[in-house]
Amino acid sequence: MICVALPGLAISTEQGQLTGRGLEGIYRAGRRVLSRCQVRVAGREPLVVQARMTSADRARFTGTLRVTPHGGPDPDVVVERTRSADGTERITLQSAATRPLRLPVEVALGTDLADLGAIASGTVGPELPASVHDSGLRWTGATGTSCVTATPPPADALASAGLLRWEFELPPGGSVSVELKARLEGAGPARAVGRAATSPLAPAQATGDDPRVGPLLATSVEDLQALLVRDPAHPTDTHLAAGAPWRCGLAPAEALAASRMTLPLGTRLAAGTLRVLARTQVTGQGPRSGMIPGPRRDAGAHLPPSCTGTEATLLFPVLLAEARRWGLPEQETEELLPVAERCLTWLLAAVGDSPYLRDPQPGGPLRCETQAHAHRAALLGADLLDAYGRPGGGGLREWALALRARFRQDFWIDDPGGGRPVAARTPDGRLVPHLCATMAHLLDTGLLGGGELAPGLLDKVRTEQLARLLGSPVMDSGWGLRGLGAKEAGHNPFGHRSGTVRVHETAIAVAGMAAAGYEKEAGALLRGVLAAAEAFDHRLPEMYAGQQRTEGSAPLPHPAACRPAATAAAAGVLLLTTPAGIRPDAPAGTVTLRPLHSAPLGEIVLTGLRIAGAPFSVRVSRLGLAMVEEAVDGLQLGA
């Protein structure tokens, strides 16, 4: 159970006690402030009867005790613990006894001040010795100092045992509380970005025939807020961390992808993310000039790791262009335009005389999804340059046209089933024919003006074939899109890129197939992810096992998945807005609706979205008809 409000984390098991085993503990900025917090009442540990997340940053554990001698089997004391990501824990004892109770309470505390990476790799040292401090305990190590303060102050504090003690008198029906606050000294204020009044995400809501839509959107927005991080050098700019607990820092490609999927919640997150990444852009001379740097990412058994810097560089102009369509102010767009231009200049320099964009490392392959990212960046980038009278749009469109013509020849193989795209081409021309989820990016062409989508790399016939393949049982697990087809060599239901369901790619497939008119396949994937979300209490992990859904089964968690994860939470927003087909063009003052006529979720009402910075609400009926219920004055409905 992971409570998140970055830079704070609280990781617990369902037993409620923090024992110091595994990842358990309270964290601040990746360091374990408190690893052990064990409560005993009247000499015994409460029996936990319920553990639940009450919000993205808070968990509640309810336990019971039987303290009255010869009182029968019924518990007469309830112990409730509310643990928050900011390091606060409130312990409340409620008496149901018929006589007054004298209850001794002990809390055993300890920490190692270990770094999260060291904990994950199993290289943690022993607990540090404690000292009595103020109304609690303090620990000091080579990496810093942490302390726990208690309200009310304990009657006794034993540093050698790391123990705080109280003795409470409870009348019949009475209650008493103790509040513990763990903090890392010198770490600054504990207030999380997402809890501030200036959160960049609109508090959108969903209602409708399907009871899962409301909790999924609410949890997705909560998780996104919990993962918000402020740029220390520019505090007004925020971006999303990749996920908890493993990736609480900036991952450029994931931050851009998540910001793009959350554009229906406003453009402020996109603007902050773009500004943060603009400051990382490589400048000067050389082949990397213009790139947004990013680490390498595992690509499964059949391909070498990919360069997320390439993906981020291609996503930057796409996000800027689409954020403008959703209402990013012209001044902010113009300020970021030179960075987008440098990304596009890098693209054309990287391809040179070739129609394709190769991986930057020596001997790198030509990846199918990289060509899709590059094609989309060229077309949306050209559209953006034209809008501001900047040169270069014509050259980008010419290259994109040449790429389309060659791609349809070189990245498609025919077979008795109707053919398929290839995942990649190696430098020596060998095809990598495996059917994989990254092909969904071929369906994601991007938003142009007037509600029109950019053309894709595939023609209509091959787009239909790809939609059929992605919707087939070898790819659709019933819980979402498998990373690698179930019949492909090397398929592993738990493989990061070789069989798990990755929520981001499933959402891209749903939105892409819906936009292309393949509603049956899109609806099946959409309903599958909603069923998985329900099994995960509506907090979608970044990935889960791609095992086939059967009657009475549940999706299997992946032990290494981040949960919450930025792209998974943002995918919840994209999945739930897809049935409405919202295509804004704020500069032109229009919004076009292309709803799913099959209405896969029945009636759905989305309120509190944002277009041009103003509230926007839309209703999709059971007949698949869409109606705008709230919009900024002057916004016209496009044809």
Side-chain angles (χ1 to χ4, degrees):
M1 299 178 69
I2 303 177
C3 305
V4 187
L6 292 181
L9 288 175
I11 304 177
S12 321
T13 71
E14 291 187 345
Q15 296 308 306
Q17 301 278 40
L18 295 180
T19 65
R21 292 191 289 267
L23 287 173
E24 290 178 48
I26 305 292
Y27 294 81
R28 171 78 176 177
R31 189 159 303 283
R32 185 152 62 180
V33 179
L34 187 67
S35 58
R36 193 162 51 85
C37 182
Q38 295 171 290
V39 175
R40 292 172 68 87
V41 179
R44 298 196 300 278
E45 292 190 8
L47 174 66
V48 174
V49 294
Q50 186 185 73
R52 57 187 293 264
M53 299 289 297
T54 59
S55 63
D57 67 335
R58 189 166 299 159
R60 179 181 295 145
F61 308 91
T62 304
T64 61
L65 282 167
R66 184 163 55 88
V67 297
T68 304
H70 315 297
D74 298 334
D76 46 18
V77 173
V78 174
V79 181
E80 185 174 275
R81 302 173 68 174
T82 302
R83 183 171 297 144
S84 301
D86 66 1
T88 303
E89 175 154 344
R90 189 171 186 84
I91 305 164
T92 300
L93 283 66
Q94 175 76 43
S95 171
T98 57
R99 63 176 182 81
L101 296 178
R102 180 184 295 271
L103 293 179
V105 175
E106 295 181 343
V107 179
L109 304 168
T111 192
D112 47 23
L113 283 173
D115 180 80
L116 182 60
I119 299 167
S121 61
T123 56
V124 177
E127 281 191 1
L128 298 168
S131 61
V132 176
H133 167 68
D134 195 12
S135 58
L137 298 174
R138 171 189 270 172
W139 300 265
T140 300
T143 57
T145 298
S146 71
C147 64
V148 171
T149 55
T151 306
D156 197 8
L158 292 103
S160 59
L163 202 63
L164 303 181
R165 289 175 172 167
W166 295 260
E167 189 147 327
F168 296 112
E169 299 276 353
L170 264 69
S175 67
V176 67
S177 294
V178 171
E179 186 170 86
L180 306 174
K181 290 186 177 180
R183 62 187 177 90
L184 190 64
E185 292 189 0
R191 186 168 179 81
V193 178
R195 291 294 163 191
T198 55
S199 171
L201 299 166
Q205 294 181 319
T207 56
D209 291 339
D210 193 318
R212 299 170 296 189
V213 300
L216 176 57
L217 185 57
T219 304
S220 295
V221 174
E222 267 200 1
D223 284 346
L224 290 165
Q225 289 175 330
L227 291 169
L228 284 171
V229 178
R230 201 183 300 279
D231 185 339
H234 299 83
T236 58
D237 292 338
T238 57
H239 64 85
L240 289 167
W246 313 111
R247 304 174 67 206
C248 293
L250 175 63
E254 282 85 349
L256 288 164
S259 297
R260 185 173 173 232
M261 290 188 284
T262 60
L263 284 172
L265 304 180
T267 61
R268 289 176 55 205
L269 175 60
T273 303
L274 289 166
R275 284 193 291 265
V276 168
L277 292 177
R279 293 189 279 269
T280 73
Q281 189 174 43
V282 179
T283 57
Q285 303 299 315
R288 299 183 72 249
S289 179
M291 285 194 76
I292 306 293
R296 299 180 77 185
R297 176 197 291 148
D298 176 65
H302 302 291
L303 287 168
S306 62
C307 173
T308 63
T310 297
E311 186 178 338
T313 306
L314 298 173
L315 268 171
F316 191 101
V318 168
L319 177 58
L320 181 59
E322 291 190 324
R324 177 175 174 263
R325 296 292 175 194
W326 280 90
L328 183 66
E330 295 292 334
Q331 180 181 347
E332 295 185 56
T333 307
E334 288 191 74
E335 289 172 354
L336 290 161
L337 190 57
V339 184
E341 285 183 290
R342 289 192 287 271
C343 291
L344 297 168
T345 300
W346 169 85
L347 167 60
L348 291 182
V351 297
D353 296 330
S354 169
Y356 299 123
L357 180 60
R358 190 179 301 277
D359 273 17
Q361 65 264 29
L366 300 169
R367 298 177 197 265
C368 170
E369 73 270 20
T370 299
Q371 313 318 311
H373 294 323
H375 182 259
R376 181 183 61 214
L379 292 180
L380 270 64
D383 189 56
L384 188 62
L385 295 177
D386 289 354
Y388 289 92
R390 306 294 265 272
L396 289 164
R397 289 192 183 89
E398 287 178 14
W399 174 78
L401 180 62
L403 173 61
R404 282 200 297 276
R406 287 289 300 274
F407 185 90
R408 293 170 186 179
Q409 298 174 22
D410 297 343
F411 275 79
W412 189 269
I413 54 174
D414 292 314
D415 59 32
R420 65 169 71 178
V422 296
R425 293 179 67 93
T426 63
D428 59 6
R430 181 175 58 87
L431 301 181
V432 182
H434 307 287
L435 185 62
C436 50
T438 55
M439 293 172 181
H441 293 286
L442 290 170
L443 302 172
D444 179 15
T445 61
L447 181 64
L448 295 175
E452 293 299 318
L453 299 179
L457 283 173
L458 299 178
D459 58 25
K460 182 174 176 55
V461 172
R462 289 177 175 177
T463 299
E464 181 177 0
Q465 172 66 0
L466 176 58
R468 188 183 68 80
L469 289 170
L470 294 179
S472 69
V474 298
M475 290 300 293
D476 183 358
S477 68
W479 304 114
L481 194 67
R482 293 185 176 95
L484 184 68
K487 294 183 179 179
E488 301 293 333
H491 170 78
N492 173 6
F494 283 94
H496 269 65
R497 301 278 170 178
S498 55
T500 60
V501 172
R502 302 191 73 87
V503 179
H504 172 207
E505 286 170 344
T506 301
I508 291 294
V510 169
M513 289 193 288
Y518 304 104
E519 296 192 8
K520 178 182 176 183
E521 294 82 0
L525 282 173
L526 173 58
R527 289 189 293 269
V529 178
L530 254 67
E534 186 176 29
F536 287 112
D537 293 326
H538 307 289
R539 173 181 265 188
L540 283 164
E542 63 174 323
M543 61 182 169
Y544 42 89
Q547 290 192 322
Q548 187 61 43
R549 181 180 179 181
T550 57
E551 184 70 29
S553 68
L556 294 175
H558 192 290
C562 285
R563 180 172 175 261
T567 52
V573 178
L574 178 59
L575 287 164
L576 293 176
T577 53
T578 289
I582 307 166
R583 302 183 188 179
D585 188 349
T590 65
V591 61
T592 304
L593 301 178
R594 295 284 185 269
L596 294 182
H597 298 302
S598 56
L601 304 180
E603 183 177 75
I604 182 170
V605 181
L606 301 167
T607 59
L609 305 178
R610 292 290 186 271
I611 295 179
F616 180 81
S617 301
V618 62
R619 178 187 300 269
V620 180
S621 73
R622 297 182 184 94
L623 299 177
L625 302 175
M627 177 184 299
V628 174
E629 297 200 330
E630 182 182 21
V632 63
D633 289 343
L635 189 67
Q636 301 295 314
L637 194 61

